[in-house]
Amino acid sequence: MSHTFEALPRGFSDLVGEEAAQGVWAEAMFRSVTRSFGFAPVTVAPVGYAETFEQFGSAATGRIFAFEDLSGRRLALTADSLVAVLRALAGSGRLTGGASALGAACVPIARYRRKRHRGWSQAVAVICNETDELAADLTLLRLWAEIFQILGPAAGGRLEYCDYGVLDAIAADEGLSPADARTALHRRRRHGAGEPRDEKPAPPSHERFLRRLDRLSALCRGLPPDEAPQRVATAEPVAVERTAHLLTVLTIAHELGVRVEFGLDWEHAPEYQAGLCFLARAGDGRTLGDGGGYHHMVRTLDIGLSTCWSTSASVSLLAELGPVPEAECVHLMRMPSADLRTFMDAARHLRGAGYDVLEHWRPRRLRRQLRQVPARPTHWFALVGEKEAETGRLTLQNAATTGVTRNLDLTEPQTAYAHR
């Protein structure tokens, strides 16, 4: 069987030019924000043991690219960003001793089915072994506040919160473990309110638990975030401690200028999260990312973790929303009479002044070459010939506006320029 050269397996994509530049910008922005909060930069290997991802039980299970190597080991391409970062932190020894550890990475994801809200690459920040839940929740909140500020008001970023701590408090009151509560929600998620014919009826405690959640969900729907916690505490006194925690987070979100919503529509929340979790959305409702506690899942990895908070975002969606700065570019044309070193010196000075430089060493038909320069305010062109070699000066002509020029003195030290 033959495949065309340009084709890729399902789940993969190539990016070139401006589309790639947007992704590079989004990754650099995310890394910069996480680094400012003390997250250690992480780069992950593109391959690992298949069992690593299957054991975690994430959404990637059953959709990974798995294969055997020459030694008969069962390997897989990286299929989950959180798992990959945890693997890197554990391998580096940062999870020893029970001390908190923070790491952040931009991880290329390989799955058979590609989802837009996940994207091809995920930007993920992980907080491990943090003993203070409020500190972890507020760290993730402030990360997104910073990202929303960079994306700008046009992106319309907001956070939608849901609190599994309330769920656990009600479950405990019904004599259910967190695992039992997740099982009840999972059944609800798969089958709705009806009871499947091929399964045993749910225990009465599960039904009581879900009825209490349904009442809270209806109670909170449409309420402003500052009112919802108190209404929950009044309706379910067992959740008073959780609602105080929730109110603190929502209040600080408001002070930071982040748009927040709160709801208890449990069937739409990821079942593997614990405590306060959220969805990050753009103004048009698209899911940029999510976050919260992954405590129940990371304990299955047996790497000494009791708590783990994480947030991940789609790099491709962040790239679409981001105000990607377009660098000013000079199309430098070498005329036949130009001195070789003068041409290279001009390019060096332009780069030192902050320009991107596209060198045209042999523009055979100058007019046709100039017509190919994008007619944008950020694009310029310049000719290098005998005159430029004699005078030591270079004239830049704007590609979008005729008559707008800039002059560059090739004899001045490059430190004299600070264009960007």
Side-chain angles (χ1 to χ4, degrees):
M1 176 182 288
S2 63
H3 298 276
T4 58
F5 177 71
E6 297 87 355
L8 284 171
R10 186 178 183 182
F12 293 82
S13 63
D14 289 328
L15 301 177
V16 179
E18 292 186 7
E19 193 176 6
Q22 287 182 303
V24 169
W25 172 86
E27 290 189 10
M29 178 271 291
F30 186 83
R31 288 184 180 276
S32 176
V33 171
T34 53
R35 186 66 182 266
S36 70
F37 278 82
F39 286 78
V42 176
T43 59
V44 301
V47 66
Y49 288 102
E51 182 184 0
T52 300
F53 301 104
E54 293 167 345
Q55 179 185 0
F56 191 68
S58 69
T61 302
R63 292 182 281 154
I64 64 176
F65 288 88
F67 55 92
E68 285 191 1
D69 67 358
L70 295 177
S71 300
R73 296 173 299 186
R74 189 163 177 270
L75 307 180
L77 300 184
T78 296
D80 190 291
S81 60
L82 173 57
V83 177
V85 173
L86 290 176
R87 179 187 62 195
L89 292 175
S92 68
R94 290 177 178 260
L95 299 184
T96 58
S100 62
L102 291 78
C106 295
V107 184
I109 301 300
R111 296 181 183 175
Y112 280 109
R113 285 180 288 177
R114 182 184 180 210
K115 293 184 177 181
R116 281 282 298 159
H117 72 277
R118 288 296 184 184
W120 167 233
S121 291
Q122 291 181 23
V124 58
V126 180
I127 305 173
C128 302
N129 285 332
E130 174 58 63
T131 58
D132 190 331
E133 181 182 7
L134 184 61
D137 287 338
L138 292 181
T139 298
L140 297 184
L141 165 62
R142 289 178 294 153
L143 279 177
W144 276 100
E146 186 74 17
I147 291 172
F148 287 151
Q149 184 174 9
I150 294 173
L151 294 177
R158 70 178 189 274
L159 296 178
E160 296 179 3
Y161 277 103
C162 184
D163 191 6
Y164 265 91
V166 173
L167 178 153
D168 289 337
I170 296 175
D173 195 50
E174 291 288 348
L176 300 177
S177 67
D180 293 332
R182 302 305 183 272
T183 299
L185 282 179
H186 186 62
R187 289 169 61 97
R188 165 70 64 83
R189 206 176 193 183
R190 285 194 301 161
H191 307 294
E195 189 65 43
R197 295 181 180 180
D198 58 343
E199 291 187 15
K200 295 180 180 179
S205 56
H206 284 208
E207 294 298 327
R208 293 193 302 270
F209 167 68
L210 291 173
R211 282 197 297 269
R212 291 171 72 173
L213 294 186
D214 288 341
R215 286 197 297 269
L216 281 185
S217 177
L219 178 68
C220 292
R221 197 167 293 128
L223 283 179
D226 56 341
E227 294 183 20
Q230 184 56 48
R231 296 286 290 273
V232 170
T234 301
E236 289 285 358
V238 297
V240 168
E241 184 177 348
R242 287 303 307 177
T243 53
H245 176 101
L246 173 63
L247 183 59
T248 299
V249 175
L250 295 179
T251 299
I252 292 179
H254 178 73
E255 293 172 357
L256 293 173
V258 178
R259 291 176 53 203
V260 294
E261 299 174 8
F262 176 72
L264 298 179
D265 293 326
W266 311 102
E267 64 271 18
H268 301 303
E271 64 192 54
Y272 47 80
Q273 292 187 350
L276 197 60
C277 62
F278 60 86
L279 293 174
R281 295 193 186 275
D284 58 7
R286 287 182 297 173
T287 304
L288 299 177
D290 56 20
Y294 288 73
H295 318 314
H296 299 296
M297 288 196 72
V298 298
R299 289 167 190 161
T300 68
L301 294 175
D302 194 25
I303 55 176
L305 281 185
S306 59
T307 61
C308 174
W309 286 266
S310 176
T311 184
S312 64
S314 165
V315 170
S316 59
L317 290 181
L318 289 178
E320 291 178 11
L321 296 173
V324 183
E326 185 177 6
E328 293 201 285
C329 179
V330 176
H331 297 257
L332 195 64
M333 314 287 181
R334 182 193 176 200
M335 307 309 292
S337 60
D339 175 71
L340 177 66
R341 288 176 174 75
T342 300
F343 180 74
M344 292 191 296
D345 191 51
R348 179 172 58 85
H349 272 77
L350 285 167
R351 293 190 178 100
Y355 293 97
D356 292 340
V357 182
L358 184 58
E359 300 173 359
H360 300 270
W361 285 73
R362 293 186 178 182
R364 296 178 180 178
R365 297 183 181 181
L366 183 58
R367 289 188 179 182
R368 178 179 296 181
Q369 194 78 55
L370 291 176
R371 284 198 296 267
Q372 294 177 0
V373 176
R376 299 178 185 174
T378 54
H379 282 254
W380 305 76
F381 62 88
L383 308 181
V384 179
E386 291 181 349
K387 177 182 177 182
E388 286 69 29
E390 293 174 358
T391 63
R393 300 191 66 81
L394 188 68
T395 300
L396 311 183
Q397 169 66 55
N398 190 264
T401 307
T402 303
V404 175
T405 61
R406 290 176 180 170
N407 293 309
L408 187 72
D409 190 340
L410 303 180
T411 64
E412 290 187 10
Q414 289 180 247
T415 53
Y417 300 99
H419 175 67
R420 284 182 186 171

